[in-house]
Amino acid sequence: MLIGVLALQGAVSEHCRALTSLNINNVKIRNLEQIKQIDGLIIPGGESTTLRKLIVNANLWEFIMKSNMPLMGTCAGAILLGKNKDETFGKMDFSIDRNYYGRQINSFEEMLEIKDYSNFRGVFIRAPAITDGGNTTPIAFCKKQIVGCTDGKNMALTFHPELTNDNYFHKLWLEGMK
Ligand code: GLN
């Protein structure tokens, strides 16, 4: 199995580190040739408007849109997987609002509420919020809000799991692919 990390913007090498620590082969994805080789893709955080443009410019938008491969989106990546007033892939049935907690200065860290797991510190950087979980399964909460959800093989997280050393969510996503 080979997992790709979209490498156009954001915390790319941190996601690669998490995958490597789980003994998962991984590759940074910048073009069509590379994306055709992989079995799953992580779309990292960054800035969703810019990220969208970079994906289109790299000629990857249509490929991702049509593909059935498992996706994990973190923060800006989660925005692109859900439903927003801006254009997204809309691959997962949840609604997400950008910059929900305010400006960059309102970024925060907070322990998450997760079923059957504890002590996961969520890093929220100008994070969005899932305002309606739709038909996805919520997997993590913070301040009573859904901050993580799955629909089987896809996972969206409004925080940055790659910025902590706990690979719980990466592992969960990989297990969901089986
Ligand atoms: N605020 C960014 C956006 O709306 C997301 C921030 C992030 O990915 N850390 O796209």
Side-chain angles (χ1 to χ4, degrees):
M1 184 166 68
L2 180 64
I3 299 296
V5 180
L6 191 65
L8 304 174
Q9 195 198 35
V12 176
S13 41
E14 289 83 352
H15 276 295
C16 294
R17 178 208 49 79
L19 293 168
T20 301
S21 77
L22 292 167
N23 290 319
I24 300 293
N25 291 328
N26 57 86
V27 60
K28 294 180 180 164
I29 302 297
R30 297 194 176 89
N31 59 46
L32 261 180
E33 203 179 312
Q34 294 164 333
I35 206 168
K36 286 178 182 162
Q37 318 293 321
I38 59 173
D39 304 300
L41 178 71
I42 297 181
I43 307 179
E47 206 281 322
S48 53
T49 311
T50 311
L51 192 53
R52 181 186 306 106
K53 284 186 193 146
L54 294 172
I55 294 172
V56 171
N57 291 349
N59 220 0
L60 295 174
W61 187 273
E62 223 174 274
F63 184 92
I64 296 172
M65 193 61 134
K66 287 185 182 156
S67 157
N68 274 326
M69 76 171 122
L71 301 169
M72 176 196 242
T74 59
C75 208
I79 295 171
L80 294 184
L81 291 189
K83 294 181 174 142
N84 184 263
K85 63 178 172 50
D86 298 324
E87 193 189 353
T88 64
F89 293 117
K91 293 214 163 216
M92 294 177 73
D93 181 38
F94 64 82
S95 305
I96 187 158
D97 271 8
R98 296 181 59 201
N99 307 326
Y100 184 82
Y101 305 92
R103 303 177 66 87
Q104 194 77 7
I105 197 167
N106 305 113
S107 298
F108 60 95
E109 295 187 10
E110 183 86 31
M111 296 313 271
L112 304 186
E113 287 160 47
I114 307 167
K115 197 176 158 224
D116 300 330
Y117 200 71
S118 54
N119 290 325
F120 194 100
R121 189 166 47 89
V123 179
F124 294 84
I125 304 174
R126 205 167 189 207
I130 294 167
T131 50
D132 180 352
N135 70 7
T136 62
T137 306
I139 55 166
F141 294 85
C142 184
K143 301 179 178 178
K144 307 284 171 222
Q145 197 108 33
I146 303 170
V147 294
C149 64
T150 57
D151 70 1
K153 60 193 177 68
N154 296 326
M155 178 181 286
L157 308 171
T158 64
F159 52 94
H160 286 263
E162 77 287 3
L163 297 184
T164 43
N165 282 326
D166 189 332
N167 299 322
Y168 172 77
F169 288 98
H170 289 85
K171 208 166 155 209
L172 196 66
W173 177 61
L174 292 162
E175 276 167 6
M177 282 183 204
K178 287 177 194 159

